Amino acid sequence: LADAVNDGSSTFTLFAPTNDAFTALSQADVTCLIANEEVLTDILAYHVLNFAEPSFLLSQASFGGNGITLSSRNGGTFLNDAQIVSADTYITGNGIVHTIDEILIPPQYVGVDFCDSGNGNDCDSCFESIDFTTGELNAIRDAL
């Protein structure tokens, strides 16, 4: 992501979770993500499209079969269960940022306890939502 942002010739759309979305992660989830770089990378990459897409052009076709479902309900626009709370939050020369209220989880990790790997970072149920704030959350949030 950093390369795309810094490379003026590439374009991107970023669906950036709110601070509240990050603080909803449990300590176990944070520990698991920090310990599983591949999973963390997959989750972060799932928030990025490799082209700039303003909100008025977003359609199901924008997501190219990657498992994200775009829908409108209750007056809002959703990517799976994450609501776009601020469309076109930032528009730069090569990208657009939309703010969402949840972290998007790639389909291969939904319902999977990827932490149960014998690495000492096991958790009972990854991606539970409880309030927790830590410096590691800031590192994950800053990576987006």
Side-chain angles (χ1 to χ4, degrees):
L1 178 58
D3 291 340
V5 171
N6 293 322
D7 177 5
S9 66
S10 66
T11 61
F12 66 93
T13 302
L14 173 64
F15 297 97
T18 61
N19 289 340
D20 287 343
F22 286 101
T23 58
L25 290 173
S26 70
Q27 173 61 50
D29 293 340
V30 172
T31 301
C32 291
L33 288 171
I34 297 297
N36 291 283
E37 185 176 336
E38 180 180 343
V39 173
L40 178 58
T41 300
D42 289 348
I43 290 171
L44 294 176
Y46 198 59
H47 289 78
V48 181
L49 300 176
N50 63 357
F51 51 89
E53 191 84 318
S55 60
F56 70 90
L57 290 178
L58 283 175
S59 70
Q60 188 59 53
S62 302
F63 301 99
N66 70 351
I68 292 177
T69 300
L70 179 70
S71 64
S72 294
R73 58 184 186 268
N74 302 325
T77 303
F78 292 80
L79 307 175
N80 298 344
D81 291 326
Q83 183 173 6
I84 297 177
V85 294
S86 178
D88 306 317
T89 307
Y90 301 104
I91 300 175
T92 67
N94 66 331
I96 296 174
V97 177
H98 306 290
T99 306
I100 56 177
D101 67 352
E102 292 184 16
I103 296 172
L104 297 170
I105 306 301
Q108 69 267 30
Y109 299 120
V110 173
V112 174
D113 185 358
F114 60 84
C115 304
D116 189 14
S117 60
N119 62 7
N121 293 315
D122 300 342
C123 58
D124 293 328
S125 64
C126 290
F127 298 107
E128 288 180 357
S129 292
I130 61 171
D131 289 332
F132 185 80
T133 305
T134 180
E136 287 120 344
L137 283 175
N138 292 332
I140 294 170
R141 182 184 60 229
D142 292 345
L144 282 174

